[in-house]
């Protein structure tokens, strides 16, 4: 036990030293902020100085000098805020005056958090309430003017600012929320008239959320925006050039298209009316595009046949494989004729990368590509396979050894195929929908 205790002493000393350094750093940081406060005081900026003292006390509550300076400079800062608010009120700028009083309140709250109470003069609460009431009235007036100019964003902005910053009375809050509903509903109507149906839907939804103020049928406007704005889209099967198809298992394309059809294209998001994947595949085959890539012009023709406005064509255009951590073990064997020979068992990790490209095509023209992108997938699998210079079928092998050569002939394990299919499908499902939705007004 004595030896263990002796061994731990250097560790304990190091821990204590680190704690002392951290404490010293904290004190240095607090001291630096205190010095900055003194400098700001000398430059006639009491509000900024008070904030530095607050920062110093957050670091070190024991700084009595910072506490004393905060109480004094905080009082001067309050006086300056009140004087500035008074000047603004005298010119009718109640919005700006209300924001000045909010800064005063924030300073008091920050000081209170470090244990220093900054008291405003008597009658402050009444004055503050009166200024906030005037600011709310001006916000309602400014919102009405913006709405008359069809500046819907400005109108809503004024109303939200009043609710969030100036603590409206219950009666004023009622007026603000009613005005906000009217502004949002008008905004939705304006977006509908401009053909921006998704924006109209969103503004109508915000208005519908304020249903008790409803003067128009926001829900009906939503439904109409969705009807007009929904786009019919045909998503054609994934193909690939001959070189890529020859380097991939035959079942990968079929599994990928099945995964996309069943778990992605069959559940289209709002604003998209996706053609039945079975019908899209049938039409693609009718145009001679079974597993081959479909070019944009052919995709547009297929889309028009299916009544789609947009068409998505996709292909796996690149495949790459690489091996790592490879070892080879030599094994002796005999041929069926009885001759001595040898073969190798190669073991390691195989990484496979596949890249797919998608194109969103405007079906109304000659195959104009409206958007495009790529996704990639990677699979890493452990492999163990046999290698022989001649025909391995001429060797005398047991069942397990023959399986090593059968695996080599397959080239891709089921694990690799499933990983590539799942990752490509997930990324295509997400990115294709995102790209198509970018074309929806």
């Amino acid at each position: 036990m004595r030896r263990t205790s002796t061994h731990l002493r250097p560790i304990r000393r190091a821990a204590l030293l680190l704690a002392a350094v951290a404490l010293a750093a904290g004190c240095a940081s607090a001291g630096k902020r205190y010095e900055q406060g003194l400098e700001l005081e000398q430059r006639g900026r009491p509000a900024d100085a008070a904030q530095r003292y607050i920062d110093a006390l957050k670091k070190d509550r024991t700084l009595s000098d910072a506490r004393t300076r905060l109480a004094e400079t905080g009082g001067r800062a309050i006086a300056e805020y009140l004087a500035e608010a008074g000047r603004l009120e005298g010119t009718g700028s109640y919005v700006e005056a209300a924001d000045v009083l909010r800064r005063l309140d924030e300073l008091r709250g920050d000081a209170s958090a470090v244990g220093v109470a900054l008291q405003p003069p008597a009658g402050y609460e009444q004055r503050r309430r009166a200024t906030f009431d005037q600011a709310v009235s001006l916000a309602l007036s400014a919102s009405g003017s913006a709405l008359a100019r069809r500046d819907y964003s400005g109108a809503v902005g004024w109303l939200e600012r009043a609710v969030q910053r100036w603590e409206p009375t219950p009666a004023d809050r009622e007026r603000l929320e009613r005005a906000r509903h009217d502004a949002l509903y008008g905004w939705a109507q304006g977006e509908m008239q401009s053909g921006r149906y998704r924006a109209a839907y969103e503004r109508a939804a915000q208005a519908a959320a304020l249903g008790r103020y409803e003067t128009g049928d926001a829900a009906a406007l939503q439904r109409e925006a969705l009807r007009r704005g929904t786009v019919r889209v045909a998503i054609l099967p994934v193909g690939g050039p001959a070189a890529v198809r020859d380097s991939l298992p035959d079942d990968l394309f079929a599994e990928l298209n099945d995964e996309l059809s069943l778990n992605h294209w069959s559940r289209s998001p709002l604003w998209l009316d996706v053609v039945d994947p079975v019908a899209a595949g049938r039409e693609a085959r009718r145009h001679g595009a079974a597993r081959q890539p479909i070019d944009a012009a052919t995709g547009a023709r297929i889309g028009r046949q299916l009544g789609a406005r947009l068409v998505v064509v996709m292909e796996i255009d690149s495949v790459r494989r690489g091996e790592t951590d490879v070892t080879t073990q030599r094994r002796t064997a005999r041929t069926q004729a009885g001759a001595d020979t040898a073969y190798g068992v190669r073991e390691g990790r195989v990484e496979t990368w596949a890249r797919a490209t998608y194109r969103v095509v405007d079906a109304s023209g000659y195959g104009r590509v409206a958007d495009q992108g790529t996704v990639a997938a990677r699979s890493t699998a452990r492999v163990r396979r046999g290698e022989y210079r001649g025909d391995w079928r001429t060797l005398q092998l047991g069942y397990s050894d023959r399986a090593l050569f059968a695996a080599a002939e397959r080239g891709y394990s089921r694990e690799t195929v499933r990983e590539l299919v799942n990752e490509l499908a997930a990324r295509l499902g997400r990115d294709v929908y995102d790209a198509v939705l970018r074309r929806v007004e």
Side-chain angles (χ1 to χ4, degrees):
M1 290 296 292
R2 190 174 302 160
R3 291 177 59 189
T4 303
S5 175
T6 302
H7 174 70
L8 290 175
R9 282 174 190 163
I11 299 176
R12 289 172 180 164
R13 283 198 296 271
L16 290 171
L17 179 59
L18 286 173
V21 169
L23 180 61
C27 292
S29 178
K32 182 66 175 177
R33 284 159 175 74
Y34 175 72
E35 291 172 4
Q36 291 171 346
L38 292 174
E39 182 181 347
L40 288 166
E41 268 199 82
Q42 293 172 358
R43 291 163 58 184
R45 294 166 56 184
D48 292 335
Q51 194 60 58
R52 291 298 187 280
Y53 296 139
I54 289 169
D55 292 341
L57 288 167
K58 285 180 180 177
K59 296 285 185 180
D60 184 358
R61 291 294 190 99
T62 67
L63 287 178
S64 57
D65 288 346
R67 194 174 301 278
T68 300
R69 299 310 315 147
L70 173 56
E72 184 171 334
T73 56
R76 289 205 303 271
I78 286 176
E80 285 195 359
Y81 279 138
L82 290 172
E84 183 182 357
R87 286 192 297 272
L88 291 167
E89 290 162 352
T91 62
S93 303
Y94 289 98
V95 167
E96 292 78 5
D99 284 341
V100 170
L101 296 182
R102 276 191 59 84
R103 294 202 295 275
L104 185 159
D105 293 339
E106 288 166 1
L107 175 60
R108 292 180 64 203
D110 290 344
S112 177
V114 294
V116 177
L118 299 178
Q119 297 298 336
Y124 170 71
E125 293 299 330
Q126 292 83 350
R127 173 184 174 177
R128 177 177 180 274
R129 181 69 267 162
T131 302
F132 279 14
D133 287 345
Q134 291 283 0
V136 168
S137 295
L138 285 173
L140 281 163
S141 177
S143 175
S145 298
L147 196 57
R149 300 190 305 271
R150 296 191 177 182
D151 177 11
Y152 302 109
S153 176
V156 172
W158 273 108
L159 299 169
E160 290 179 346
R161 183 180 179 187
V163 169
Q164 293 166 6
R165 295 186 62 81
W166 302 323
E167 302 173 13
T169 64
D172 280 342
R173 181 177 288 274
E174 183 84 9
R175 294 167 61 202
L176 290 165
E177 291 297 281
R178 183 179 295 278
R180 183 166 173 262
H181 169 272
D182 294 344
L184 287 167
Y185 188 75
W187 197 350
Q189 290 178 311
E191 298 288 14
M192 278 283 284
Q193 292 167 5
S194 301
R196 292 187 289 269
Y197 302 117
R198 291 180 70 183
Y201 183 93
E202 291 168 6
R203 301 308 171 195
Q206 291 173 314
L210 302 169
R212 64 196 182 99
Y213 305 108
E214 192 158 331
T215 56
D217 194 344
L221 196 152
Q222 275 186 283
R223 291 192 296 271
E224 182 61 15
L226 186 59
R227 186 189 70 79
R228 295 189 194 181
T230 296
V231 171
R232 187 168 172 81
V233 56
I235 305 178
L236 304 183
V238 180
V244 170
R245 294 200 309 273
D246 291 343
S247 66
L248 288 171
D250 292 337
D251 54 355
L252 187 143
F253 285 92
E255 289 192 26
L256 176 58
N257 284 310
D258 285 347
E259 178 70 18
L260 287 167
S261 297
L262 294 172
N263 295 316
H264 295 277
W265 311 149
S266 61
R267 299 196 299 269
S268 55
L270 205 64
W271 303 102
L272 297 183
D273 174 19
V274 178
V275 174
D276 177 14
V278 175
R282 186 185 306 119
E283 193 64 26
R285 290 190 296 274
R286 198 174 72 79
H287 282 74
R291 294 174 59 196
Q292 298 88 350
I294 302 172
D295 60 59
T298 302
R301 287 197 299 274
I302 295 172
R304 288 194 293 273
Q305 289 292 325
L306 295 168
R309 196 177 102 192
L310 296 174
V311 180
V312 178
V313 296
M314 300 173 288
E315 63 176 291
I316 298 177
D317 58 8
S318 178
V319 177
R320 182 164 53 92
R321 303 193 85 189
E323 293 185 344
T324 59
D325 303 328
V326 177
T327 60
T328 302
Q329 179 186 14
R330 185 177 182 274
R331 292 186 180 181
T332 59
R334 287 182 174 236
T335 67
Q336 299 289 354
D340 292 332
T341 186
Y343 66 93
V345 176
R346 189 178 178 88
E347 190 170 0
R349 300 194 73 81
V350 174
E351 291 190 339
T352 307
W353 296 266
R355 186 184 71 180
T357 298
Y358 62 86
R359 295 177 179 85
V360 180
V361 179
D362 184 351
S364 62
Y366 295 97
R368 181 182 67 86
V369 176
D371 206 337
Q372 62 184 348
T374 61
V375 302
R378 186 184 76 166
S379 171
T380 302
R382 194 85 189 167
V383 295
R384 190 166 179 264
R385 62 175 181 267
E387 292 181 332
Y388 183 60
R389 288 176 181 266
D391 183 356
W392 65 271
R393 295 173 184 80
T394 64
L395 300 176
Q396 299 180 32
L397 298 173
Y399 175 80
S400 60
D401 292 329
R402 296 179 70 84
L404 293 173
F405 288 96
E409 287 188 341
R410 286 196 300 272
Y412 286 82
S413 67
R414 287 302 306 158
E415 177 188 356
T416 294
V417 171
R418 286 311 306 162
E419 283 185 0
L420 292 176
V421 164
N422 290 340
E423 194 166 346
L424 284 173
R427 294 184 177 182
L428 282 171
R430 179 193 64 227
D431 287 13
V432 165
Y433 274 149
D434 287 346
V436 175
L437 284 169
R438 285 196 291 271
R439 317 311 305 172
V440 179
E441 293 283 352

